[in-house]
Amino acid sequence: MTLTAKTSLSTPNKIAIALVVAATLAALAATVFINRTNAASQATAAEAAEVVREDSHRLSTAKDEKAVLVEFLDFECESCLAAYPFIEELRAKHADNLTVVSRYFPLPGHSNALTAAVAVEAAAQQGKFEDMYHRMYETQTEWSHTPESRAGTFRGYAKDLGLDMAAYDAAVADPATTARVETDKNDGLGLGVSGTPTFFLDGEQISPSTLQEFEQLIDAAVSK
């Protein structure tokens, strides 16, 4: 006669397995909850994002506004520098009917992008946004793409522009100034911006492949 041994789990083993199963189910439930929460947060951010806010910086405000061009930019971005003279040409050509808005979008890969944006915002609080905007692009090749902080360089620009330096220093140190920059960036993220420069024309993102195509889009928008 052959005897077949029957194996059975002891009570402690049964408890251990039950605990493992419970922990696994809990982990799965937590993952689902987190994913749903993240998705909901992203959806909420997208819904709250605005292409233009009341306090967004206008480089040009057209008297007979027919269209609004918004640029999410990074002062340390070489592509933004390349687009800079073209944007200036558009501003001059369509001064009467094209409003041009600049919004901050400092990229994490650029070590001085946020510092530059904060410096520009600090200057903006003294009515010198456009002056500092120009200075950043005119000197980008002198200060960009270095791990060293260029805060001192930017302070020098502020001094050259005749700013109240005590007020400038206070603004740079004020968390509210950085928060103002982050508001722009968060709007950009909510709108799907992932790089710079990114443009919106009358609230819709545009991705022209050539400058000629870009100009055609602007011409069509201001002619409506």
Side-chain angles (χ1 to χ4, degrees), residues 20-38:
V20 170
V21 171
T24 301
L25 292 175
L28 288 173
T31 299
V32 170
F33 175 78
I34 291 172
N35 288 339
R36 288 178 177 174
T37 301
N38 288 342

Side-chain angles (χ1 to χ4, degrees), residues 64-112:
D64 182 23
E65 184 180 291
K66 297 292 183 63
V68 178
L69 178 67
V70 179
E71 178 185 8
F72 283 85
L73 58 84
D74 174 338
F75 290 110
E76 197 168 0
C77 168
E78 293 176 337
S79 295
C80 291
L81 176 61
Y84 167 65
F86 178 70
I87 299 303
E88 289 300 294
E89 290 176 9
L90 289 179
R91 289 179 61 196
K93 179 180 179 181
H94 300 290
D96 294 333
N97 44 37
L98 179 67
T99 292
V100 179
V101 180
S102 293
R103 304 203 65 184
Y104 307 113
F105 199 83
L107 297 170
H110 294 156
S111 58
N112 278 287

Side-chain angles (χ1 to χ4, degrees), residues 1 11 17 65 92 99 104 126 192 196-197 209:
M1 177 181 294
T11 298
I17 291 175
E65 184 180 291
T99 292
Y104 307 113
Q126 296 189 46
T196 56
S209 56

